[in-house]
Amino acid sequence: MLTTGDVFAGYAIERLLGRGGMGSVYLARHPRLPRQTALKMLNAELFSDNEIRARFEREADLAAQLEHPNIVTVYDRGVDEGRLWISMQFVDGVDAANIDQPIPVERAVHIIEGTAAALDHAHRNGVLHRDVKPANILLAGTTGRERVLLTDFGIARPTDDAHHLTQTGTFTATLAYASPEQLTGAPLDHRSDQYSLACTLYSLLAGAAPFASTNPVSVIQGHLQGPPPSIRARRPELPPAVDAVLARALAKRPADRFDSCAEFAAAVRWALHGTGTGPTGFGPRPAQPRVHVPSAPHQPSPGRARPAGNAVPFVPARARRTSRAWAPSVLLVVLAVVVGAGVWVWRDESTFVADILNRTQAHKDIAAMSAAFPQLLPPGEVAGLEHRNPYIEGIGFGGRNCRAYVNTTTRNELEWESTFQAAGAKWACKSAEIRDSHFSFYTFPTAESAAAAVADFESKSRDVGSGASGTRSDDHRTLYYNNRYVLAAVVSTFSDPGRERWVLLSHRSSTSGNDLAPLLKDFVRFPLR
């Protein structure tokens, strides 16, 4: 962590602005120009993660292409002291998530209009933001009107590549503001950002996201199946037209939304203030002249008197019955579509829904490793588990405490373990005695990614021998950091069909440098054959 007065990449650090899971942002002084800049730095331990590094670099590349008064300007990027950095426009203000909510109507409209202009500019230049939310909207107080700036293009994608997830299939947007197509892994276009912008407007006006819940499954169900909640239930003083505008922008099908974010913002202003041009399909229709329907030359059927002078023409009973007959058919079609989409979302292992419900390939790998090595690992199938937390734990070989993880990027506790963070699942078994041997099983999305992780670890360690047993190959290594001995390790890979994606890492700290004897003595006792 840098402190005031430190110099990094030529920038003089003034103070820390904020920290997150991927890095920190500092207020810094430009080395040559008389201005302040925001210096965003990726955490050093994430530098070896190819996907996170690419995402960080993509943020600079995409944002640098977008010159707009409502988008935070990116000045430069680089690598210094093994850390990626981006210098960008410093905005002296707060983000929209940190202002008191709900906010006044006019301020909400102003924020949405500025953000909509930024998004439409990005869309015209082939960039989708994919994480629109109050925390990514900066508000700068000036002598005039409050400035609105969109920031954080860290998970943005070019339009022609926006349907791809990350390499490991993980979900990266913020769940409370994610569009239905983001949750199901469907192709994205500019209307996905519009959905998130509508969620943002609802949050600013109501003080909570549209489908807010402490249960992520409930949030997902709301986005995929729930009707848009009425903003007037929280702000009854708002006109009814606001609900209609939000309902259109929050439509489940992108085709049912507005054509652009600017059109949505204009509809919001019209609904709230009655100014501007109302969007197609909204607002009071022109008054219709009263039409006199003359009496027919013959008398109508008994009990069906034709109302004279009524503005609504008489509809024969047969026509009414015909129109009603369509209702069950339409309902069946809609129901079939909803059920079909639900089945697809339920069965698809790559969606965020599967991750929440512990049905991804990574969760299955946890159970498969337990079944393959029951003497090493505790049982691997437990229902009702909490998402992204250690969801299985028990006693493994030799009394070691074992925990299972998915999304291992955030579950590698030691710096050297970052080599294996591309794994989709991990069993970690540790002894209470720190100098005893520990072991971890990893499963990767592909055999190629497993081989790449092993090669990366070997490039950072020293070869001190090898061995094999049946279909298992063992590579004996010692690891040093800054010429300081860290640990002895055995990296095992498997040639059994179905286990090419698996890697076993056994390691033991020692003061004896290259002496692997204590580890190998424990290792040969592992029931791995």
Side-chain angles (χ1 to χ4, degrees), residues 17 27 45 113 116 118 162-163 207 223 311 340 357 380 383 418 430 444 464 517:
L17 294 176
L27 177 63
E45 63 270 18
E113 287 176 333
H163 64 287
H223 284 302
L357 300 178
S418 62
K430 299 181 179 181
F444 291 80
V464 290

Side-chain angles (χ1 to χ4, degrees), residues 96-382:
N98 283 318
I99 58 178
D100 291 335
Q101 298 178 5
I103 67 175
V105 168
E106 179 54 36
R107 191 182 188 190
V109 174
H110 175 63
I111 292 172
I112 294 304
E113 287 176 333
T115 308
L119 288 171
D120 281 351
H121 177 77
H123 298 160
R124 286 192 297 270
N125 285 273
V127 176
L128 302 184
H129 190 282
R130 302 201 309 159
D131 196 20
V132 179
K133 58 184 178 182
N136 286 337
I137 301 173
L138 302 183
L139 308 174
T142 62
T143 54
R145 206 171 189 193
E146 184 176 50
R147 294 185 61 197
V148 178
L149 296 101
L150 181 64
T151 187
D152 201 348
F153 284 77
I155 65 169
R157 287 275 187 179
T159 304
D160 57 3
D161 190 37
H163 64 287
H164 292 160
L165 293 176
T166 58
Q167 286 181 338
T168 56
T170 55
F171 180 82
T172 49
T174 303
L175 184 59
Y177 303 90
S179 67
E181 53 269 34
Q182 283 179 289
L183 295 173
T184 58
L188 307 183
D189 63 15
H190 61 284
R191 292 166 295 193
S192 177
D193 282 344
Q194 181 191 139
Y195 183 98
S196 301
L197 184 61
C199 291
T200 297
L201 172 62
Y202 186 98
S203 176
L204 294 175
L205 290 175
F211 303 104
S213 172
T214 56
N215 183 349
V217 175
S218 297
V219 179
I220 293 172
Q221 290 175 339
H223 284 302
L224 295 181
Q225 300 174 354
S230 170
I231 188 64
R232 299 183 72 239
R234 293 176 176 266
R235 298 281 293 269
E237 76 277 11
L238 298 180
V242 181
D243 275 338
V245 171
L246 278 170
R248 181 170 171 181
L250 293 173
K252 308 304 180 188
R253 296 175 61 247
D256 294 333
R257 300 171 197 157
F258 294 96
D259 291 334
S260 68
C261 291
E263 184 180 346
F264 164 59
V268 171
R269 178 168 289 282
W270 171 85
L272 287 170
H273 299 298
T275 59
T277 303
T280 303
F282 289 92
R285 297 182 179 180
Q288 298 293 324
R290 294 179 64 85
V291 178
H292 174 72
V293 180
S295 300
H298 60 277
Q299 293 296 322
S301 301
R304 297 193 181 279
R306 189 188 304 271
N310 197 320
V312 181
F314 173 72
V315 180
R318 179 178 297 177
R320 292 199 298 273
R321 286 196 300 270
T322 301
S323 64
R324 290 171 184 169
W326 281 97
S329 299
V330 173
L331 181 61
L332 287 174
V333 171
V334 173
L335 182 61
V337 171
V338 171
V339 171
V343 170
W344 176 76
V345 170
W346 176 265
R347 297 181 62 183
D348 191 340
E349 296 176 352
S350 65
T351 65
F352 190 62
V353 177
D355 200 9
I356 289 291
L357 300 178
N358 299 335
R359 298 179 60 252
T360 65
Q361 183 60 53
H363 291 88
K364 294 179 180 179
D365 285 341
I366 291 292
M369 286 187 288
S370 296
F373 302 108
Q375 294 175 289
L376 276 176
L377 301 171
E381 294 185 271
V382 177

Side-chain angles (χ1 to χ4, degrees), residues 18-99:
R19 299 184 67 181
M22 289 179 57
S24 305
V25 180
Y26 295 90
L27 177 63
R29 179 68 59 180
H30 192 279
R32 290 168 295 279
L33 299 176
R35 72 179 180 200
Q36 292 176 314
T37 184
L39 192 65
K40 185 173 184 177
M41 299 171 57
L42 183 68
N43 288 339
E45 63 270 18
L46 298 179
F47 183 79
S48 60
D49 187 304
N50 293 333
E51 182 179 332
I52 293 179
R53 188 170 67 248
R55 187 191 310 170
F56 192 85
E57 292 173 336
R58 185 170 62 245
E59 174 180 3
D61 292 344
L62 292 178
Q65 302 172 26
L66 305 174
E67 296 184 8
H68 191 274
N70 295 111
I71 296 177
V72 172
T73 303
V74 169
Y75 300 133
D76 197 4
R77 72 175 174 93
V79 180
D80 198 78
E81 299 177 15
R83 299 186 69 177
L84 284 165
W85 57 269
I86 300 173
S87 67
M88 61 184 68
Q89 176 185 2
F90 169 59
V91 179
D92 189 9
V94 297
D95 63 63
N98 283 318
I99 58 178

